[in-house]
Amino acid sequence: MKTCVRCGDAIVGRVDKKFCCDGCRSAYNNSINKQRDRNIRQINSRLRRNYKILSELNTGQKVTASKKKLISKGFDFDFFTQAMHSSHGITFYLYDQGYFPLSNGSYVLIRKEVPKRNKLQE
């Protein structure tokens, strides 16, 4: 007789069953995915924080902010969603909010125009 992978109870039913019930199957899979999901949540949290900081500081289409100011607000330069080469070097983006370094150590904050979708694209 086969036993449940999670709790060890006897399994009744199909020959290839691994769990005694949906609760054990769900709990087992949740425990397996726990670390991976924790990492994803931590990364998303840092991306959200960076996005919020850029959104608060970028009140226009183009604003300058010092590295010190960004760091003091909790900005983490290691987390961004896209990096693009441009005429002024590399521009880093967090979704539609972007920034690129200036030679004096400050950063220009920009907002990328997101194209509007028309009904034919939907």
Side-chain angles (χ1 to χ4, degrees):
M1 178 163 282
K2 286 184 78 173
T3 57
C4 178
V5 173
R6 180 169 182 275
C7 70
D9 286 351
I11 297 177
V12 178
R14 290 190 349 231
V15 177
D16 61 341
K17 276 179 79 172
K18 295 180 183 179
F19 305 98
C20 63
C21 65
D22 285 339
C24 278
R25 179 184 50 78
S26 182
Y28 178 82
N29 288 324
N30 286 343
S31 69
I32 296 290
N33 297 326
K34 189 175 188 175
Q35 182 60 42
R36 184 197 65 198
D37 292 347
R38 182 180 307 140
N39 292 340
I40 291 169
R41 279 193 309 274
Q42 287 173 348
I43 290 168
N44 285 338
S45 174
R46 290 178 181 160
L47 289 172
R48 254 192 319 276
R49 183 178 345 123
N50 279 356
Y51 183 83
K52 182 180 176 192
I53 292 166
L54 290 180
S55 296
E56 288 172 357
L57 294 175
N58 192 0
T59 56
Q61 282 299 98
K62 217 180 226 187
V63 176
T64 305
S66 69
K67 184 173 186 174
K68 185 177 179 180
K69 184 172 190 174
L70 288 167
I71 291 172
S72 72
K73 291 191 168 282
F75 193 83
D76 189 340
F77 288 93
D78 291 333
F79 291 87
F80 51 90
T81 57
Q82 183 181 19
M84 295 178 63
H85 290 279
S86 61
S87 58
H88 26 11
I90 298 177
T91 302
F92 298 94
Y93 284 98
L94 283 120
Y95 308 106
D96 65 328
Q97 296 288 333
Y99 62 94
F100 61 88
L102 295 175
S103 58
N104 65 3
S106 60
Y107 289 84
V108 175
L109 310 181
I110 58 173
R111 184 173 290 127
K112 183 171 33 172
E113 290 295 320
V114 178
K116 301 227 181 212
R117 297 180 72 189
N118 62 33
K119 292 189 184 232
L120 295 175
Q121 291 175 320
E122 294 176 353

